[in-house]
């Protein structure tokens, strides 16, 4: 996220670090958010501080216009801006259990396109299990509101594909390995308990 001075900052968690337990434990949140998420923020700020002509760009602007930036900072900006944005979404789109299933406009769209939430969950889990190495699985939408499940590698965001993020799961090993060593499937199943579908519906309904 970005403040009024053109500097990116680490957003506060919308819950206590231990609030997602037992599904995602405090140790994982402390390392993942306060160390790794913060590292992307700090690295992006360090790059932008040396390039003041671009400091007023937001995260999405940086990602979508990366080819307009000086060649020597493109890779660093793309990776770190993506790292900040992806993690902003990930941590913001979780909340303490129990959580209701998708409802409202998003729930209707999921049922229409996938047949049921159970069908969606099966497809989303299959996609998340298929990520090779480090990456993300997303529920995204296009400008017309059609939903898609997509994977992105490393810190690539859906914005690079003209897709609007609705809710993601982080599949990098640091997001689960401390609590679920070599058990990605267990982590994915646990994540459904803390996925904030109410907030996802707000995002989708605003399209």
């Amino acid at each position: 996220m970005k403040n009024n001075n053109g500097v990116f900052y680490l957003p506060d968690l919308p819950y206590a670090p231990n609030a997602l337990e037992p599904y995602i434990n405090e140790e994982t949140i402390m390392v993942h958010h306060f160390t790794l998420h913060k590292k992307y923020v700090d690295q992006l700020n360090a790059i932008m501080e040396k390039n003041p002509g671009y400091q007023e760009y937001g995260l999405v602007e940086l990602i979508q216009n990366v080819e307009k930036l000086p060649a020597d900072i493109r890779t660093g900006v793309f990776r770190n801006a993506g790292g900040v944005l992806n993690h902003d979404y990930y941590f913001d789109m979780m909340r303490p259990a129990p959580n209701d299933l998708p409802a409202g406009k998003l729930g209707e769209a999921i049922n229409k396109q996938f047949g049921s939430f159970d069908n969606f969950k099966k497809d989303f889990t299959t996609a998340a299990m298929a990520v090779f190495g480090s990456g993300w699985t997303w529920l995204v939408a296009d400008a017309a509101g059609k939903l898609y499940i997509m994977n992105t590698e490393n810190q690539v965001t859906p914005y690079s594909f003209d897709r609007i993020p609705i809710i993601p799961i982080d599949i990098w090993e640091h997001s689960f390995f401390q609590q679920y060593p070599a058990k990605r499937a267990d982590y994915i199943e646990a994540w459904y308990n803390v996925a904030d579908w109410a907030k996802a519906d707000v995002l989708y309904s605003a399209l």
Side-chain angles (χ1 to χ4, degrees), residues 1-2 8 44 54 56-69 77-78 80-86 88-89 138 157-165:
M1 292 187 179
K2 198 170 189 178
F8 295 95
L44 181 59
Y54 304 95
E56 294 308 313
Y57 279 39
L59 291 172
V60 177
E61 290 177 287
L62 287 173
I63 291 165
Q64 292 183 324
N65 296 283
V66 68
E67 295 302 322
K68 298 179 182 178
L69 302 179
V77 168
F78 186 77
N80 287 291
V84 175
L85 186 144
N86 287 356
D88 284 356
Y89 267 94
W138 301 82
T157 79
Y159 288 106
S160 293
F161 305 93
D162 293 322
R163 294 290 184 258
I164 303 165

Side-chain angles (χ1 to χ4, degrees), residues 1-164:
M1 292 187 179
K2 198 170 189 178
N3 67 19
N4 292 330
N5 296 319
V7 177
F8 295 95
Y9 65 94
L10 184 71
D12 294 331
L13 292 173
Y15 39 79
N18 66 349
L20 303 184
E21 292 186 343
Y23 304 105
I24 299 179
N25 64 23
E26 181 175 7
E27 181 183 9
T28 298
I29 293 292
M30 294 300 294
V31 173
H32 195 179
H33 175 69
F34 292 100
T35 299
L36 299 176
H37 189 181
K38 183 177 184 296
K39 185 176 180 180
Y40 286 112
V41 174
D42 292 343
Q43 290 176 160
L44 181 59
N45 281 329
I47 296 172
M48 302 314 296
E49 184 178 4
K50 297 177 181 178
N51 296 269
Y54 304 95
Q55 278 188 320
E56 294 308 313
Y57 279 39
L59 291 172
V60 177
E61 290 177 287
L62 287 173
I63 291 165
Q64 292 183 324
N65 296 283
V66 68
E67 295 302 322
K68 298 179 182 178
L69 302 179
D72 62 328
I73 67 169
R74 289 175 191 166
T75 298
V77 168
F78 186 77
R79 289 175 176 172
N80 287 291
V84 175
L85 186 144
N86 287 356
H87 284 91
D88 284 356
Y89 267 94
Y90 175 68
F91 288 110
D92 193 49
M93 299 305 295
M94 293 189 290
R95 63 187 251 183
N99 276 316
D100 293 329
L101 297 180
K105 187 176 178 180
L106 177 60
E108 292 174 3
I110 287 175
N111 288 333
K112 180 179 180 179
Q113 290 191 222
F114 297 94
S116 67
F117 179 75
D118 285 341
N119 288 343
F120 160 78
K121 182 179 176 180
K122 180 179 178 181
D123 291 349
F124 193 86
T125 298
T126 297
M129 289 299 296
V131 171
F132 183 79
S134 301
W136 302 75
T137 297
W138 301 82
L139 176 63
V140 301
D142 63 19
K146 184 177 180 180
L147 295 173
Y148 303 85
I149 294 170
M150 70 178 296
N151 292 342
T152 60
E153 297 180 347
N154 299 317
Q155 296 301 353
V156 177
T157 79
Y159 288 106
S160 293
F161 305 93
D162 293 322
R163 294 290 184 258
I164 303 165

